[in-house]
Amino acid sequence: MILVLAYCAVLLSFASGLLALMMHQRHNFLALSQYWLKKSPDSNRNYELVIDSSLEEKQFLILLRQAVFVLLGLSGIFAVLAGLSVLISKEVVTDQISLGLPWLPWHVRFDCLSGFFFLIVGIAVSAVSLYGPGYVNSYDESQHPFAVLGLFTGLFVAGMLLVLLADDAFFFMIAWELMSVASYFLVAFQHEHSANRRAAFLYLLMAEVGALAIILGFGVLASFSDGFTFDALREAKLSTTWASIAFMLALLGFGMKAGIVPVHVWLPEAHPVAPSHISALMSGVMLKVALYGLIRFCFDLLGDVHWQWGVVLLILGTISALGGILYAMMQTNLKRLLAYSSVENIGIIFMVLGLSMIFMANGQPQLAALGLLAALFHAFNHALFKNLLFLGAGIIQHQTHQLNIDMMGGLIKKMPKTSVLFLIGCMSISSLPLFNGFVSEWLAFQTALQVDVLDNGVLRSLIPVAAAALALTAALAAACFVKVFGLIFLGQPRSHHCDKAHETQDQGMLAGPALLAGLCFLFGIFPGPVISLINGVSGQLLGETLPNDAALGWLWLAPVSANQASYAPPLVLIGALIAGGISFWYLRRNPTTALRRAETWDCGFGGLTPSMQYSSSAFTMPFRRIFAKVWIVDEQIDKDMHGAMNQDVAAVHYQLQIQDHSWPRLYEPIEHGVNALAKLVGRIQTGNIRLYLSYSLATLLLLLWVIS
């Protein structure tokens, strides 16, 4: 029954894509419906439809789009049900599908790890299904056909779900490529823009390089086993060297898809140009599927982990977390900022996974289970609040027709519902108490603080540094999203579009983010149920659960020891409500005192204007000065002078460009090397038939010599 639910989720996502593809045949459907209407024996003219053909086609398109998203929503619901079922029952369900190669059918395995990521995918897809119909109505059908968008969205979701079900290397790679290629077409959906084509090409190039690395990683395991099924790969006996080679290949392949530094450069290019609900799925869900692949490969297939692998993940995660949030702070494009923020959160997850490996290799399986739980819980939380923020960004773009936060402002009065939902997302991603992001980062700190159980002096020195970097990352994330919310929603409108903006009238576009916002708050107050489910994942994968499982009640959360520092979200909520009530009573204690409203203080300039407000570059200037070496900064200030001897300043022109160090230091040398090699190889193409025949003769002689 559990596997039937999972299969239904996959089939419904496929069905949504096929139904969207049928929109190309909408004229035939309309003609058929009109034919049967004319042939109807019903003579009652009250039921006769006399509708303009263009209006009828428009209504038909709207209904078909809604039907596509209904199927997608059902896919998400079945995914949630399947994930919860296997997590609660803690079963391991296997199956075979008569597809694939003649000697290798597709093997299916659905366990707690797969079920947990099914849950993540299902929640995100359900929210997108509510949000999508209103969002896609803004696209011109002639330029951006919904058939393309709906088809590849369904294939994309189906590919992610199939990756989670795959139990052999061949099936895994088929599903992985389906996910990657479908998402490539979604990134290139608005292909009339050169930036979209460039981002899509870069994404596909890096996705295929990563896929090759994953194939090689499976190949290393398969060379020491009897087949390509995961059961056979688990039995492979690898030396430390070959196991480390397989780990590095998997880290490159899955890390490239996850967006870990320095193989993250596709992510801030692809996410901003994709439709917003696709950006939400890519950032909130697809990156987690890559995380699933790494966990499955390292903790399940490789089996025995080494502490050196954990150090690699810890260092890469620390660099990604700090680098991701510092690059996010410098962005003015909202979706690009959110994309770099995903790099930061993936870095946090990799840090805690590294800690889990370190503790496991040093004989501390219970603390390893704590680290795995913290990583998985942060992956779950990131899927919630990052989907919420990307969907909120889509609403803002839909209503203001722009993503440049320097051109926004004052939207809290124009779009109050969106502002509340976006604020919840900002507080969650900033890891503030009462929201889910705080709980998972608190668990990450709890994991790092157990370093005293290790005997290795290097690790005892390295892990506190990583924990300090995590604390700095959290502080920078809070500053970053203070900037985001302040510049977008507070102050005065900086553009005509923002001045004329209004709340969206489509309730579905608000319902999707509202669902995610409610879950962010719910699991921030009551994280126990989700943690209990994840505890089953660690028990099935590592054979260990949390050290202090009894202390995981609905009130207290003390995973290490009931005697150590604990967190009680309901008590924090009660305290916050009491403090708020006292403050409200104190400010309103005299009922005769009326509220006095006055204009905002203008510092004596005679009235506030939008140009007097902080811009993004002004807000981040102190950070840019402190961390100047992190970016390649090109800052230019030009002054137009006039008056006697050019002493008066007429105008000031300011330009700021921030570039990622990864491009000139890593990717541009690779590009130059590939071009130089291509020129050398190109010399053999002379166009002379005699030379080509001599190549053939030389090759033949070489092969004969090798055979002999």
Side-chain angles (χ1 to χ4, degrees):
M1 181 61 186
I2 294 176
L3 205 52
V4 171
L5 294 174
Y7 285 158
C8 287
V10 176
L11 293 176
L12 285 168
S13 58
F14 271 122
S16 70
L18 294 177
L19 182 60
L21 185 62
M22 293 169 62
M23 291 190 68
H24 276 307
Q25 304 297 323
R26 61 185 181 275
H27 298 294
N28 296 333
F29 282 111
L30 284 171
L32 185 63
S33 64
Q34 291 174 354
Y35 172 79
W36 285 110
L37 182 64
K38 292 177 181 178
K39 292 292 185 179
S40 175
D42 189 1
S43 59
N44 189 349
R45 291 301 181 184
N46 293 329
Y47 295 98
E48 184 178 354
L49 299 178
V50 184
I51 305 173
D52 181 79
S53 60
S54 62
L55 179 60
E56 186 176 354
E57 182 176 356
K58 183 178 180 180
Q59 292 175 342
F60 183 76
L61 287 175
I62 293 175
L63 290 175
L64 199 55
R65 287 173 179 172
Q66 291 176 344
V68 168
F69 280 104
V70 166
L71 289 176
L72 201 64
L74 290 174
S75 172
I77 292 172
F78 274 97
V80 170
L81 293 176
L84 288 176
S85 299
V86 75
L87 285 169
I88 293 173
S89 66
K90 299 181 181 179
E91 295 182 25
V92 178
V93 187
T94 59
D95 192 16
Q96 287 188 16
I97 303 176
S98 299
L99 297 172
L101 299 174
W103 49 272
L104 182 63
W106 287 354
H107 293 75
V108 173
R109 177 188 173 95
F110 196 46
D111 56 12
C112 286
L113 182 62
S114 302
F116 176 72
F117 283 92
F118 248 73
L119 181 63
I120 291 177
V121 175
I123 292 174
V125 171
S126 300
V128 165
S129 70
L130 297 172
Y131 175 91
Y135 180 80
V136 300
N137 284 336
S138 61
Y139 286 117
D140 184 359
E141 183 66 21
S142 60
Q143 291 186 346
H144 307 111
F146 178 74
V148 175
L149 181 61
L151 170 64
F152 288 110
T153 301
L155 294 178
F156 178 45
V157 173
M160 291 190 291
L161 294 175
L162 289 175
V163 168
L164 303 178
L165 290 174
D167 197 35
D168 64 72
F170 180 73
F171 183 21
F172 186 96
M173 292 310 304
I174 293 293
W176 186 268
E177 286 299 283
L178 175 62
M179 175 185 71
S180 299
V181 174
S183 54
Y184 159 76
F185 286 104
L186 294 173
V187 173
F189 180 60
Q190 294 174 285
H191 54 81
E192 68 274 12
H193 303 299
S194 60
N196 295 44
R197 296 194 299 270
R198 176 182 180 275
F201 173 76
L202 178 63
Y203 167 62
L204 185 63
L205 177 64
M206 298 194 69
E208 295 310 307
V209 172
L212 289 174
I214 296 171
I215 291 172
L216 292 175
F218 282 132
V220 171
L221 290 178
S223 63
F224 292 91
S225 63
D226 295 329
F228 291 98
T229 65
F230 284 177
D231 284 336
L233 298 183
R234 290 185 186 96
E235 300 300 323
K237 303 299 182 182
L238 278 71
S239 64
T240 302
T241 301
W242 281 111
S244 298
I245 291 174
F247 165 76
M248 294 305 297
L249 288 169
L251 177 60
L252 175 62
F254 294 116
M256 190 171 290
K257 181 69 76 175
I260 201 77
V261 173
V263 289
H264 68 290
V265 292
W266 67 269
L267 199 147
E269 301 294 329
H271 288 195
V273 301
S276 292
H277 64 296
I278 301 302
S279 300
L281 289 177
M282 291 181 69
S283 184
V285 181
M286 187 183 73
L287 304 188
K288 310 308 176 302
V289 175
L291 176 66
Y292 162 83
L294 183 65
I295 294 175
R296 176 70 74 187
F297 194 95
C298 296
F299 286 90
D300 189 15
L301 302 185
L302 285 178
D304 295 332
V305 299
H306 302 275
W307 67 267
Q308 294 88 345
W309 303 353
V311 171
V312 172
L313 290 183
L314 184 66
I315 294 174
L316 287 177
T318 303
I319 296 172
S320 299
L322 270 176
I325 194 59
L326 286 172
Y327 275 105
M329 293 188 72
M330 298 298 114
Q331 306 305 314
T332 56
N333 183 291
L334 177 57
K335 290 174 68 175
R336 190 177 179 88
L337 182 149
L338 294 176
Y340 269 116
S341 173
S342 294
V343 176
E344 172 230 345
N345 283 276
I346 288 295
I348 294 174
I349 296 170
F350 270 60
M351 288 175 64
V352 192
L353 274 182
L355 291 174
S356 179
M357 285 187 175
I358 290 172
F359 285 123
M360 178 61 73
N362 282 273
Q364 299 290 336
Q366 290 185 328
L367 293 180
L370 174 60
L372 181 63
L373 183 144
L376 292 176
F377 193 31
H378 195 70
F380 178 81
N381 291 334
H382 179 251
L384 294 181
F385 56 65
K386 188 51 64 73
N387 273 276
L388 168 59
L389 290 171
F390 265 111
L391 297 183
I395 297 176
I396 294 170
Q397 184 183 17
H398 189 271
Q399 300 303 111
T400 65
H401 307 288
Q402 60 189 0
L403 287 170
N404 188 346
I405 61 178
D406 277 337
M407 301 302 295
M408 299 183 190
L411 292 182
I412 194 171
K413 297 179 180 178
K414 310 287 185 179
M415 304 165 62
K417 296 178 182 178
T418 302
S419 66
V420 172
L421 297 175
F422 204 87
L423 179 61
I424 292 175
C426 290
M427 291 191 291
S428 299
I429 200 171
S430 300
S431 303
L432 297 183
L434 300 181
F435 294 93
N436 58 345
F438 175 82
V439 181
S440 53
E441 289 206 19
W442 179 83
L443 288 173
F445 279 113
Q446 289 286 302
T447 307
L449 292 176
Q450 309 309 311
V451 66
D452 57 332
V453 303
L454 300 176
D455 296 328
N456 191 313
V458 175
L459 296 178
R460 291 169 65 96
S461 302
L462 179 62
I463 293 176
V465 174
L470 178 59
L472 177 60
T473 300
L476 292 173
C480 177
F481 284 92
V482 165
K483 179 197 83 167
V484 170
F485 189 84
L487 292 181
I488 294 176
F489 292 99
L490 305 182
Q492 295 183 352
R494 297 174 175 84
S495 65
H496 174 74
H497 287 298
C498 286
D499 191 31
K500 299 299 181 182
H502 56 83
E503 192 68 82
T504 177
Q505 299 303 310
D506 189 280
Q507 296 304 311
M509 291 184 69
L510 294 173
L515 170 65
L516 297 171
L519 293 177
C520 286
F521 183 72
L522 176 65
F523 294 131
I525 302 300
F526 301 106
V530 179
I531 292 178
S532 298
L533 294 176
I534 303 174
N535 210 23
V537 178
S538 61
Q540 195 172 86
L541 196 62
L542 304 180
E544 292 287 343
T545 57
L546 284 185
N548 190 28
D549 192 22
L552 292 176
W554 66 272
L555 182 61
W556 289 97
L557 184 61
V560 178
S561 171
N563 299 322
Q564 294 188 14
S566 301
Y567 176 56
L571 295 183
V572 175
L573 175 61
I574 293 172
L577 293 176
I578 293 174
I582 293 174
S583 300
F584 182 82
W585 171 82
Y586 182 79
L587 294 174
R588 299 292 186 90
R589 65 189 184 280
N590 188 353
T592 61
T593 303
L595 290 177
R596 184 173 63 88
R597 296 184 180 275
E599 295 294 330
T600 305
W601 184 46
D602 58 13
C603 305
F605 283 99
L608 291 174
T609 63
S611 61
M612 298 169 63
Q613 300 177 140
Y614 263 54
S615 65
S616 175
S617 57
F619 186 93
T620 57
M621 185 271 292
F623 301 98
R624 197 164 59 250
R625 297 290 184 262
I626 296 172
F627 301 99
K629 299 298 183 181
V630 174
W631 315 276
I632 300 175
V633 181
D634 182 13
E635 192 174 20
Q636 297 180 0
I637 303 176
D638 298 323
K639 298 180 180 180
D640 295 339
M641 312 299 293
H642 72 104
M645 301 184 67
N646 289 332
Q647 293 297 313
D648 299 329
V649 179
V652 177
H653 304 282
Y654 179 79
Q655 290 185 343
L656 176 65
Q657 291 184 345
I658 305 292
Q659 188 179 6
D660 196 326
H661 276 291
S662 300
W663 284 108
R665 295 182 182 273
L666 179 61
Y667 293 98
E668 288 183 4
I670 293 176
E671 177 190 2
H672 296 327
V674 170
N675 289 334
L677 182 62
K679 290 180 180 179
L680 290 175
V681 174
R683 292 180 180 178
I684 68 175
Q685 295 180 333
T686 63
N688 190 325
I689 187 63
R690 297 183 180 87
L691 187 59
Y692 294 158
L693 290 174
S694 65
Y695 291 158
S696 301
L697 178 61
T699 304
L700 180 61
L701 293 175
L702 178 62
L703 292 176
L704 290 174
W705 176 77
V706 171
I707 294 173
S708 63

